[in-house]
Amino acid sequence: MISSASRRFTQLLHVGLVPAFTALAIAVAPTSAQAQTSSADYTEGYQQQALDIYRTIIGFRTSAGHNQVGVMANYLADQFRAGGFASEDVHVMPHTAPNGDAIPVLIVRYRGDGSSGEEPILFTAHMDVVDALPEDWERDPFTLVEEEGYFFGRGSFDDKFGISMLTTTFLRMKAEGFVPNRDLIIGFTGDEETDMISTRALVDEHRDLTDAAFALNADAGGGVFNEDGTPLSYLVQTAEKTYATFEVTVTNPGGHSSQPRNDNAIYELATVLKNIEAHRFPVRVNGATKLYFEMTAELKDGEVGEAMRRIAADPTDEWAANILWNEPDQIGVTRTTCIATMLRGGHAENALPQSATATVNCRIFPGIEPMEIGGVLQDIAGEGAHVAMIGEPGSAPPSPLREDVMEAVRVGVAEIQPGTPVIPYQAPYATDGYRFRAAGIPTYGIMGIFIKASDEFAHGLNERVEVATFFDALEFWKVVVTRLAGRPAA
């Protein structure tokens, strides 16, 4: 099971905005222009439609245990049918979570004329959210609230923003009479934040409906604002690390606490954990991370920038590796990491422990099998400990850098934030995109959003996005779709 609460070890990392950029930001108050931005400034019909959809779906409490994902899926299906999509091209496919919740997938096909001769493009986002307790929030988390130039609400960023963008883009382009040169497919999942049962079903059980040349994931990537609201960069997620959890256990006959033994299970586990802490997996570079380091180095001063330049040129550069090892926001980009996250041991305060267990969470570099990392942990732990992998994590290769995708994103970004560099990167967390890549569908994370570090509250209290970036993202998505599936100018 992939727990999004633990897999996204910072809010910043989850949103696909690599924290390296935030070091460049100067903390200042939002400008008055930003504070005054209002949805009332956006009066086009498709803009109002997007806002209506956004407001409605934030009202569905689609977190685990509330059984609202199916309600939301059917609402969206109705929007597509009302927008001119044939009933046979709109599918709500039932699936069930372990707790009994309905977690369907929604699949919608936008029929093209086939003139490109290319396979379809899959567009994906997830309908579920991490839960929010209304008593903890300043506003009702399941009511879209607009204040001071922001939209507040659970899922306003993660990922009902993406759902709203893709839904509205399909409806808008359908209403405008756009006929793509290839089929376009929406695939919305229902449990990305928990088990990814629906994600696997989307690309395995329903592959006849979702097979595609590549996928665009509206739950990753995105633009980085400095704190003054100026754009810094736009990131395209082309790879994700595998999420894998292991339990390391030391056992012992135990005994009475008045008769200590030299082979205390808790002490032995502590030694094992210190050895795991000291271990450094080798530095690795792929196409995405090489370009990421090369391009990000231009935005970074001092030793970190120099280390990025050197690691891109030579992954064996020990000095560069050591500098980046001490940068928490860069470790995950350079190598596999394993970190102890939970402990349990002993059974009574007056008894020697008969067992002690640590949970070790690993974020594994793309292309490396989890069993290989488990073997390394076992070697570190030694014969006195047992390492067991939890669940059945897989591995997924990086997606190749497609020039058509990168060019479409560059043009889309130029439409809303001209002059912003577009940089591929590898995420140290996991989204639905990991499952698509593992199933053989190259996947690229592009949210369309721009956000400041101080506005990153995904999974946290008072989640929010700027009003202006919501409407800008609509223009971004139209440009991207048109570039990838429109007819070339005569």
Side-chain angles (χ1 to χ4, degrees):
M1 178 166 109
I2 297 181
S3 167
S4 59
S6 59
R7 71 173 166 81
R8 294 169 178 167
F9 56 91
T10 68
Q11 295 167 353
L12 189 58
L13 284 177
H14 163 66
V15 302
L17 306 180
V18 178
F21 298 118
T22 65
L24 301 173
I26 300 173
V28 296
T31 65
S32 58
Q34 290 171 313
Q36 293 171 0
T37 303
S38 166
S39 62
D41 300 327
Y42 301 91
T43 58
E44 296 292 338
Y46 68 88
Q47 294 170 334
Q48 291 302 306
Q49 184 179 36
L51 183 56
D52 289 343
I53 291 169
Y54 195 42
R55 180 180 294 109
T56 300
I57 64 177
I58 283 177
F60 297 125
R61 192 171 184 174
T62 53
S63 49
H66 295 278
N67 209 27
Q68 287 287 291
V69 174
V71 178
M72 177 173 156
N74 283 304
Y75 162 78
L76 292 170
D78 288 343
Q79 301 307 301
F80 284 110
R81 295 186 190 102
F85 288 84
S87 294
E88 59 266 27
D89 289 333
V90 180
H91 308 272
V92 178
M93 300 296 204
H95 297 280
T96 305
N99 68 354
D101 279 2
I103 49 168
V105 295
L106 173 62
I107 303 170
V108 179
R109 183 172 290 262
Y110 193 147
R111 300 258 174 202
D113 61 14
S115 59
S116 72
E118 301 287 344
E119 294 181 336
I121 303 171
L122 177 64
F123 297 80
T124 187
H126 64 89
M127 297 179 284
D128 61 318
V129 296
V130 170
D131 204 11
L133 300 178
E135 59 268 27
D136 293 342
W137 280 52
E138 295 176 18
R139 308 159 190 84
D140 180 358
F142 300 102
T143 299
L144 183 69
V145 175
E146 182 180 346
E147 288 183 9
E148 299 181 346
Y150 289 94
F151 289 129
F152 291 85
R154 172 57 88 226
S156 59
F157 179 85
D158 180 23
D159 182 31
K160 291 179 178 178
F161 186 99
I163 295 284
S164 300
M165 290 300 110
L166 295 180
T167 299
T168 304
T169 298
F170 269 46
L171 293 173
R172 174 188 181 184
M173 300 188 78
K174 189 77 164 179
E176 292 175 355
F178 175 75
V179 179
N181 62 20
R182 64 207 294 181
D183 283 6
L184 309 176
I185 304 167
I186 272 180
F188 291 160
T189 63
D191 64 335
E192 188 268 355
E193 299 290 5
T194 50
D195 300 287
M196 291 192 181
I197 292 169
S198 63
T199 309
R200 292 191 294 272
L202 189 73
V203 291
D204 292 337
E205 296 178 35
H206 308 305
R207 191 60 173 264
D208 59 324
L209 296 174
T210 62
D211 201 22
F214 60 89
L216 298 180
N217 181 15
D219 183 38
V224 184
F225 273 149
N226 284 308
E227 288 299 315
D228 62 1
T230 58
L232 180 61
S233 62
Y234 188 93
L235 303 177
V236 178
Q237 187 219 68
T238 64
E240 303 174 54
K241 297 174 82 174
T242 299
Y243 176 104
T245 298
F246 300 86
E247 287 193 340
V248 183
T249 302
V250 175
T251 57
N252 190 288
H256 200 285
S257 63
S258 66
Q259 298 176 322
R261 304 167 54 100
N262 291 329
D263 56 350
N264 184 290
I266 290 176
Y267 294 158
E268 289 185 2
L269 179 62
T271 298
V272 169
L273 292 178
K274 292 300 291 183
N275 290 338
I276 291 174
E277 178 189 25
H279 181 77
R280 297 189 185 187
F281 289 89
V283 172
R284 296 178 183 271
V285 172
N286 57 33
T289 60
K290 179 178 174 63
L291 275 175
Y292 164 75
F293 283 129
E294 288 174 348
M295 298 180 73
T296 307
E298 300 302 315
L299 305 174
K300 296 283 286 185
D301 296 323
E303 286 187 336
V304 173
E306 178 61 20
M308 287 180 169
R309 278 186 284 272
R310 288 173 56 167
I311 211 77
D314 179 11
T316 66
D317 188 314
E318 187 173 350
W319 177 86
N322 287 337
I323 293 296
L324 297 179
W325 176 265
N326 292 306
E327 296 291 318
D329 50 3
Q330 299 304 328
I331 294 174
V333 186
T334 63
R335 65 181 87 206
T336 294
T337 59
C338 291
I339 185 74
T341 56
M342 298 174 68
L343 282 171
R344 67 179 186 271
H347 60 285
E349 67 178 71
N350 58 352
L352 300 177
Q354 295 173 2
S355 69
T357 298
T359 299
V360 175
N361 182 246
C362 297
R363 305 305 175 108
I364 303 172
F365 206 86
I368 300 175
E369 293 295 331
M371 286 297 295
E372 178 182 336
I373 300 304
V376 173
L377 292 178
Q378 185 64 72
D379 290 343
I380 296 169
E383 296 181 358
H386 175 68
V387 176
M389 187 164 64
I390 307 302
E392 298 179 353
S395 63
S399 298
L401 295 177
R402 291 182 61 111
E403 182 52 31
D404 57 348
V405 171
M406 298 301 292
E407 176 63 15
V409 173
R410 283 191 288 265
V411 176
V413 171
E415 177 75 14
I416 59 175
Q417 296 293 344
T420 305
V422 175
I423 303 173
Y425 86 110
Q426 171 184 289
Y429 53 80
T431 71
D432 281 336
Y434 150 71
R435 290 291 180 186
F436 301 144
R437 293 188 185 97
I441 301 176
T443 302
Y444 305 88
I446 55 167
M447 291 193 72
I449 197 171
F450 273 77
I451 194 169
K452 296 177 290 189
S454 59
D455 288 337
E456 290 151 6
F457 295 100
H459 294 197
L461 293 174
N462 306 312
E463 185 178 353
R464 68 191 189 191
V465 299
E466 288 189 16
V467 170
T469 199
F470 176 85
F471 293 103
D472 281 350
L474 290 171
E475 309 314 316
F476 167 85
W477 275 107
K478 182 179 180 181
V479 170
V480 168
V481 172
T482 302
R483 295 287 296 193
L484 290 171
R487 296 179 183 82

